[in-house]
Amino acid sequence: MNKKITVVQVGCGSISKTWLQILTSRDDILYVGLVDINIDMAISKKNEFHLTCDVFTNYKEAIDLLKPDLVIDTTIPKIHHQVVTYSLKAGCHVFGEKPLSDSMANAIDMVKTADKMNRYYSIMQNRRYINNIATFKSIITDSKIGELGSLNADFYIEAHFGGFRDVIKSPLILDMAIHTFDQARYISKCDPISVYCHEFNPKGSWYKGNASATCIFEMTNDVVFTYNGSWCAKGALTSWECNWRAMGNLGAAIWDGKTRPFYEIVSSNDKTSMFPNNYDQLYLETKASTLEYHQGCIDEMLSSLKSKQPSSTDCHDNILSLAMVMGAIKSSKEKRKVLISELL
Ligand SMILES: NC(=O)c1ccc[n+]([C@@H]2O[C@H](COP(=O)([O-])OP(=O)(O)OC[C@H]3O[C@@H](n4cnc5c(N)ncnc54)[C@H](O)[C@@H]3O)[C@@H](O)[C@H]2O)c1
């Protein structure tokens, strides 16, 4: 693709601005249409980004008329299935916001449609694209702590959103945990086998649904991934990227989601103690600065599209992160361990 990639973006709400900021600053992208059922949203984004493209309220009309190379889906989760399948069937590639879909049945249909139409559908997982997470991952994949046995993520945030998150059944798991679960797959290079999840709504919570949860995932390679999260934490908050601990047979690695990760290996003079207490704290060379968050993910999606390769967050891979979310909700509801294979 040497010519510019023509783009129609569907959904002009909050997150659309991040996509527009990145894509309009690239010289390989040409916006040909903006769509929102609320036309004022589309017009305001067109004006804000000084675009000359057309605006629409109906995505089908825009896609049929403009026949773009690429559709960006920044609508809400329950609309993703219809926008994505229509776009793929019209011959467009699609990059969309997380989560892939609002149900496993819809997600499976979307992946099948991408296959049938021989088009790419990649999902935004911006929290994979952070220099420090890449370094944390390298500590594990370069075997600095030996063989990985367990991975733990703690997420404690006090969030007063208002709106839909305050009233839905599983706000934390449905709307947020996809980031952490996808990060766990990225860091460990392991995929989920089963999940047990207990959701709860602690005293003092201002959410109607369960704003806290604890999950245990059995992963491939005998790795156990545990998650503790809350969106109604009163103090001692973590970063939005979580506090991470990876335990290997030779050492442990820590990342607070913000600063440089480190790992600890028992000191040579303490190796034979009954209760070792001296550990060397070590750091890996930080990765050379690369594009991060949405910018990093979009850049990789576009490079992959141009080289006709699936991106890291291609729908075929990303459906496993969604299955962790849907499996956790099923487990919590049915109060039992759920096999991920039940969902796929
Ligand atoms: N990756 C991230 O960090 C991140 C952050 C925030 C939101 N998101 C995701 O982005 C998506 C959008 O979230 P948001 O916060 O921007 O929501 P939003 O409600 O602010 O925006 C969604 C827009 O889509 C429009 N829309 C709805 N149905 C439509 C249809 N049929 N056709 C055309 N337009 C339609 C709405 O009018 C609205 O303007 C969600 O999937 C959300 O989970 C991701």
Side-chain angles (χ1 to χ4, degrees), residues 72-257:
I72 308 294
D73 173 24
T74 43
T75 62
I76 52 175
K78 73 172 181 188
I79 305 295
H80 291 177
H81 175 257
Q82 50 173 282
V83 171
V84 171
T85 52
Y86 192 86
S87 306
L88 294 169
K89 284 176 187 168
C92 312
H93 301 289
V94 184
F95 297 168
E97 260 304 340
K98 65 85 191 164
L100 199 160
S101 190
D102 61 342
S103 76
M104 283 311 290
N106 279 346
I108 290 166
D109 186 52
M110 291 152 94
V111 175
K112 278 189 184 157
T113 307
D115 277 344
K116 196 170 151 203
M117 299 309 299
N118 202 17
R119 302 284 97 178
Y120 290 108
Y121 172 34
S122 292
I123 292 88
M124 173 54 61
Q125 293 292 174
N126 39 318
R127 285 191 166 81
R128 277 184 178 216
Y129 296 81
I130 306 171
N131 292 331
N132 280 328
I133 203 177
T135 308
F136 186 61
K137 178 192 171 95
S138 293
I139 291 173
I140 293 150
T141 51
D142 293 356
S143 303
K144 298 293 183 196
I145 56 167
E147 275 193 69
L148 184 67
S150 64
L151 186 64
N152 168 241
D154 286 335
F155 176 89
Y156 290 98
I157 293 284
E158 178 171 359
H160 299 269
F161 293 104
F164 78 95
R165 292 179 185 89
D166 284 12
V167 292
I168 60 174
K169 272 191 186 148
S170 301
L172 178 76
I173 295 290
L174 200 59
D175 197 57
M176 186 63 212
I178 183 82
H179 285 297
T180 313
F181 296 172
D182 185 69
Q183 284 174 302
R185 290 183 56 233
Y186 167 76
I187 291 165
S188 66
K189 288 177 99 174
C190 295
D191 286 326
I193 293 170
S194 74
V195 56
Y196 184 85
C197 169
H198 179 74
E199 286 181 287
F200 56 106
N201 206 24
K203 287 188 185 80
S205 168
W206 47 95
Y207 292 81
K208 191 159 180 237
N210 288 317
S212 299
T214 293
C215 302
I216 306 167
F217 288 94
E218 287 173 304
M219 309 288 281
T220 48
N221 294 342
D222 295 327
V223 170
V224 174
F225 165 54
T226 52
Y227 168 82
N228 291 301
S230 179
W231 244 347
C232 56
K234 284 283 180 187
L237 306 183
T238 64
S239 65
W240 284 75
E241 284 75 17
C242 296
N243 269 357
W244 291 86
R245 169 185 280 264
M247 301 299 295
N249 62 332
L250 300 179
I254 296 288
W255 181 47
D256 64 7

Side-chain angles (χ1 to χ4, degrees), residues 271-309:
K271 273 190 175 151
T272 51
S273 306
M274 181 179 281
F275 300 112
N277 200 24
N278 295 311
Y279 292 82
D280 297 329
Q281 198 170 97
L282 303 162
Y283 291 83
L284 271 195
E285 198 72 30
T286 311
K287 296 265 160 195
S289 176
T290 51
L291 298 176
E292 294 190 291
Y293 293 95
H294 271 73
Q295 206 174 3
C297 190
I298 290 173
D299 193 63
E300 205 229 300
M301 287 171 172
L302 284 168
S303 304
S304 303
L305 183 63
K306 288 179 191 177
S307 57
K308 299 190 166 63
Q309 296 294 322

Side-chain angles (χ1 to χ4, degrees), residues 7-12 32-43 46 53-68:
V7 168
V8 165
Q9 184 159 342
V10 187
C12 297
V32 291
L34 286 175
V35 186
D36 201 293
I37 41 168
N38 178 350
I39 196 70
D40 291 340
M41 299 295 283
I43 293 170
K46 176 180 165 168
C53 67
D54 294 324
V55 290
F56 301 80
T57 51
N58 184 324
Y59 66 85
K60 293 182 183 173
E61 200 185 306
I63 290 165
D64 291 348
L65 187 74
L66 302 169
K67 302 190 185 346

